[in-house]
Amino acid sequence: MTDPRLYCSNPLRASAEIRLGRDESHYLVSVMRRKAGDKVRLFNPQDGEWSADIAAADRKGVSLRLEKKLRAAQRVPDLDLLFAPVKKARTDFIVEKATELGVRRIRPVLTRRTIADKVRLDRLSALVREAAEQTERFDLPEIFEAEKLESVLDGWPADRVLFFCDEAGDAMPMAEALRGHETGKAAILTGPEGGFTSEERDYIRSLPIAIPVSLGPRILRADTAAAAALTLWQSCCGDWSGGAQARE
Amino acid sequence: MTDPRLYCSNPLRASAEIRLGRDESHYLVSVMRRKAGDKVRLFNPQDGEWSADIAAADRKGVSLRLEKKLRAAQRVPDLDLLFAPVKKARTDFIVEKATELGVRRIRPVLTRRTIADKVRLDRLSALVREAAEQTERFDLPEIFEAEKLESVLDGWPADRVLFFCDEAGDAMPMAEALRGHETGKAAILTGPEGGFTSEERDYIRSLPIAIPVSLGPRILRADTAAAAALTLWQSCCGDWSGGAQARE
């Protein structure tokens, strides 16, 4: 069994003592069944990943003493996911997968056909944190408040390519479209169940920075499209191609 | 709104009359709120996709009259997914995504660390059918009974490359490993939460037909790994690269 891995915003230094909050203490003691003398791992994007000993685990909580640095922090590539929120379980899935598939920012965008439960940032933040702990990244992706698609695109920066997953037709296969964009900032935009309206498609396609891409001959659900597009980007332009070193 | 799309094993011919079973009648009338005069689409891998009129929709069920052929059937590429079943919701997810991502066969394999609810083929068959209807493919992937990994690999055919998603280290990035395997039969093997044991890894790696592949520097959950590997295969070797024509 590998040692439990927890995100910790405190500075991580040799011999530092850290008291965990209630939720994390409960998780370690009651869920993971750890006790004094066991080891955990702590990480954050500034200090990397550290091993720590459980110094005390009682009803008042868990205290840790940091031992040594295990790994230096690495950043995920500079990739954003813009997605139209869908039903709760599938939105959760998209957010979890975006974290595992190494995006820096998760931006829910509201489109004409977005029919979604309210996006609960507190719930998604907990989900992102758990996914980051599990997937062994060092940072937590930043989750934005849901915003109208038009507002997001109106202020779109000229140096961030937007790969627009356009299932309605004649777009270039995504793997082909990625060639020539191996470096630089990027974002992926996926639509709601039911797709974008034709007005939305025309508008997005009119942006010079937007590149429509296709994800094959079948209709993909919104969550599948997001996972597939992130996979192709990481494989072609991100940190999947060889070393674990993320580019800046 | 697009017309509902239903798998139908009956021969599809112009003017044929088809009576739907109870579940499908219920789905059309009570869920999709369709009535006599509305249209549906029927499909199967022999006859392609047809439009049909709802001739009658009453308490006894729905009868359809076939109108015209809309699309000729296309096969998905000759790709299998072998996966270690995980918890129910994530197994469902893997099966749904495998259907959307165009595999022909879905084979649950039992590994040493497989801790899973029993694989219920009847439930998965319903799930596969619904996913095939939604994703606009023409066939339903075949679902196998769960079988021990060793038994499956013992009888492995020499003409089907097995891409083995090996998170434990030094494998080649999958996109790279796929080069040179653009044609021919293939399978993808993903492990359970917790991964394969080192004995299992050694055994799989000893097979001449197995190619270990890596899916980036982060740890992916079992369901994410399956979706990511299927995406990369379809993009590089399958039917995502240009036309919708599947190769045989």
Side-chain angles (χ1 to χ4, degrees), chain A residues 76 90 93 96-97 99-102 130 134-137 173 175 215-221 223-224 228 231-232 234-235 239-242 244, chain B residues 76 90 93 96-97 99-102 130 134-137 173 175 215-221 223-224 228 231-232 234-235 239-242 244:
Chain A
V76 298
R90 291 191 192 270
F93 175 83
E96 177 185 289
K97 293 329 173 204
T99 306
E100 292 179 57
L101 294 170
E130 194 190 330
Q134 181 272 328
T135 201
E136 311 233 329
R137 55 189 280 177
L215 295 169
R218 285 167 293 279
I219 306 292
L220 303 184
R221 283 190 185 273
D223 54 353
T224 320
T231 294
L232 291 179
Q234 287 291 7
S235 179
D239 61 10
W240 285 24
S241 50
Chain B
V76 297
R90 291 192 192 270
F93 175 83
E96 177 185 289
K97 292 329 174 205
T99 306
E100 293 179 57
L101 295 170
E130 194 189 328
Q134 182 271 328
T135 201
E136 310 232 331
R137 55 188 280 176
L215 295 169
R218 285 166 292 280
I219 308 291
L220 303 185
R221 282 189 185 276
D223 55 352
T224 319
T231 295
L232 291 179
Q234 287 291 5
S235 179
D239 60 9
W240 285 24
S241 51

Side-chain angles (χ1 to χ4, degrees), chain B residues 150-170:
Chain B
E150 291 78 6
S151 323
V152 173
L153 295 184
D154 278 350
W156 196 257
D159 63 346
R160 185 178 296 276
V161 180
L162 180 70
F163 294 101
F164 160 45
C165 298
D166 184 10
E167 66 181 23
D170 57 346

Side-chain angles (χ1 to χ4, degrees), chain B residues 4 6 19-35 54 56-63:
Chain B
L6 299 172
R19 261 196 98 66
L20 296 182
R22 204 180 54 167
D23 290 354
E24 288 163 311
S25 296
H26 171 78
Y27 170 74
L28 270 189
V29 173
S30 306
V31 181
M32 300 300 287
R33 307 275 170 199
R34 303 298 150 131
K35 51 189 192 314
I54 300 181
D58 54 34
R59 276 180 305 171
K60 285 181 288 178
V62 169
S63 5

Side-chain angles (χ1 to χ4, degrees), chain B residues 116-120 123 145:
Chain B
D117 306 330
K118 194 169 154 38
V119 181
R120 289 268 314 271
R123 203 171 48 77
E145 293 277 356

Side-chain angles (χ1 to χ4, degrees), chain B residues 18-238:
Chain B
I18 288 176
R19 261 196 98 66
L20 296 182
R22 204 180 54 167
D23 290 354
E24 288 163 311
S25 296
H26 171 78
Y27 170 74
L28 270 189
V29 173
S30 306
V31 181
M32 300 300 287
R33 307 275 170 199
R34 303 298 150 131
K35 51 189 192 314
D38 287 342
K39 284 191 187 305
V40 302
R41 291 176 292 161
L42 298 177
F43 70 96
N44 68 40
Q46 289 76 43
D47 304 315
E49 183 175 291
W50 288 68
S51 66
D53 291 308
I54 300 181
D58 54 34
R59 276 180 305 171
K60 285 181 288 178
V62 169
S63 5
L64 304 172
R65 179 185 293 272
L66 263 73
E67 196 190 26
K68 62 172 191 287
K69 190 168 187 162
L70 300 171
R71 292 196 296 160
Q74 283 174 353
R75 290 195 85 176
V76 297
D78 195 349
L79 176 66
D80 295 0
L81 175 67
L82 277 61
F83 76 102
V86 282
K87 282 182 202 154
K88 183 170 167 292
R90 291 192 192 270
T91 291
D92 286 359
F93 175 83
I94 291 172
V95 167
E96 177 185 289
K97 292 329 174 205
T99 306
E100 293 179 57
L101 295 170
V103 310
R104 273 203 203 163
R105 295 166 210 89
I106 297 173
R107 306 186 64 171
V109 292
L110 305 173
T111 70
R112 289 284 300 283
R113 293 196 185 127
T114 300
I115 305 165
D117 306 330
K118 194 169 154 38
V119 181
R120 289 268 314 271
L121 288 199
D122 54 344
R123 203 171 48 77
L124 293 185
S125 298
L127 200 153
V128 149
R129 182 177 174 139
E130 194 189 328
E133 291 173 347
Q134 182 271 328
T135 201
E136 310 232 331
R137 55 188 280 176
F138 295 89
D139 62 329
L140 311 182
E142 187 181 356
I143 306 191
F144 285 55
E145 293 277 356
E147 209 179 332
K148 280 193 177 164
L149 178 65
E150 291 78 6
S151 323
V152 173
L153 295 184
D154 278 350
W156 196 257
D159 63 346
R160 185 178 296 276
V161 180
L162 180 70
F163 294 101
F164 160 45
C165 298
D166 184 10
E167 66 181 23
D170 57 346
M172 191 184 289
M174 184 161 179
E176 223 173 287
L178 290 168
R179 278 178 219 136
H181 297 280
E182 283 82 0
T183 57
K185 302 173 185 176
I188 284 163
L189 168 61
T190 59
E193 306 289 350
F196 294 99
T197 64
S198 58
E199 292 75 23
E200 285 173 331
R201 291 184 62 226
D202 290 346
Y203 173 59
I204 302 165
R205 281 172 165 255
S206 75
L207 301 173
I209 202 71
I211 301 177
V213 297
S214 138
L215 295 169
R218 285 166 292 280
I219 308 291
L220 303 185
R221 282 189 185 276
D223 55 352
T224 319
L230 294 173
T231 295
L232 291 179
W233 191 90
Q234 287 291 5
S235 179
C236 178
C237 313

Side-chain angles (χ1 to χ4, degrees), chain A:
Chain A
M1 276 300 288
T2 54
D3 298 325
R5 187 172 183 273
L6 299 173
Y7 178 82
C8 177
S9 55
N10 298 34
L12 305 176
R13 303 277 177 267
S15 306
E17 288 185 27
I18 288 176
R19 261 196 98 66
L20 295 182
R22 205 179 54 167
D23 291 353
E24 287 163 311
S25 296
H26 171 78
Y27 170 75
L28 270 190
V29 174
S30 306
V31 181
M32 300 301 286
R33 307 277 170 197
R34 303 296 152 133
K35 51 189 193 316
D38 288 341
K39 285 192 186 304
V40 301
R41 292 176 290 161
L42 298 177
F43 69 96
N44 67 40
Q46 288 76 43
D47 304 314
E49 184 175 290
W50 287 68
S51 67
D53 291 308
I54 299 182
D58 53 34
R59 276 179 305 174
K60 286 180 288 179
V62 169
S63 9
L64 304 172
R65 179 185 293 272
L66 262 72
E67 195 191 26
K68 63 172 190 286
K69 189 168 187 163
L70 301 172
R71 293 196 296 159
Q74 282 173 353
R75 290 196 84 176
V76 298
D78 195 350
L79 175 66
D80 295 2
L81 174 66
L82 278 62
F83 76 101
V86 282
K87 282 181 202 153
K88 182 169 166 296
R90 291 191 192 270
T91 292
D92 286 359
F93 175 83
I94 291 173
V95 168
E96 177 185 289
K97 293 329 173 204
T99 306
E100 292 179 57
L101 294 170
V103 309
R104 271 203 205 165
R105 294 167 210 90
I106 297 174
R107 305 186 64 170
V109 292
L110 305 173
T111 70
R112 288 285 300 283
R113 292 194 186 129
T114 300
I115 306 165
D117 307 330
K118 194 167 154 41
V119 180
R120 289 268 314 270
L121 288 199
D122 54 345
R123 202 170 49 76
L124 293 185
S125 296
L127 199 154
V128 149
R129 182 175 174 142
E130 194 190 330
E133 291 173 348
Q134 181 272 328
T135 201
E136 311 233 329
R137 55 189 280 177
F138 295 89
D139 61 329
L140 311 182
E142 186 182 358
I143 306 191
F144 285 56
E145 293 277 357
E147 209 180 332
K148 281 193 179 166
L149 178 64
E150 290 78 7
S151 323
V152 173
L153 295 184
D154 277 350
W156 196 256
D159 63 346
R160 185 177 296 276
V161 180
L162 180 70
F163 294 100
F164 160 44
C165 298
D166 184 9
E167 65 182 23
D170 56 345
M172 192 184 289
M174 184 160 178
E176 221 172 289
L178 290 168
R179 276 179 220 137
H181 296 281
E182 283 83 1
T183 57
K185 302 174 186 174
I188 283 163
L189 168 62
T190 59
E193 306 287 350
F196 294 100
T197 64
S198 59
E199 292 75 22
E200 285 173 331
R201 291 184 61 226
D202 291 347
Y203 173 59
I204 301 165
R205 282 172 163 255
S206 76
L207 303 172
I209 201 72
I211 301 178
V213 296
S214 140
L215 295 169
R218 285 167 293 279
I219 306 292
L220 303 184
R221 283 190 185 273
D223 54 353
T224 320
L230 294 173
T231 294
L232 291 179
W233 191 88
Q234 287 291 7
S235 179
C236 178
C237 313
D239 61 10
W240 285 24
S241 50
Q245 198 61 45
R247 69 201 167 78
E248 274 309 294

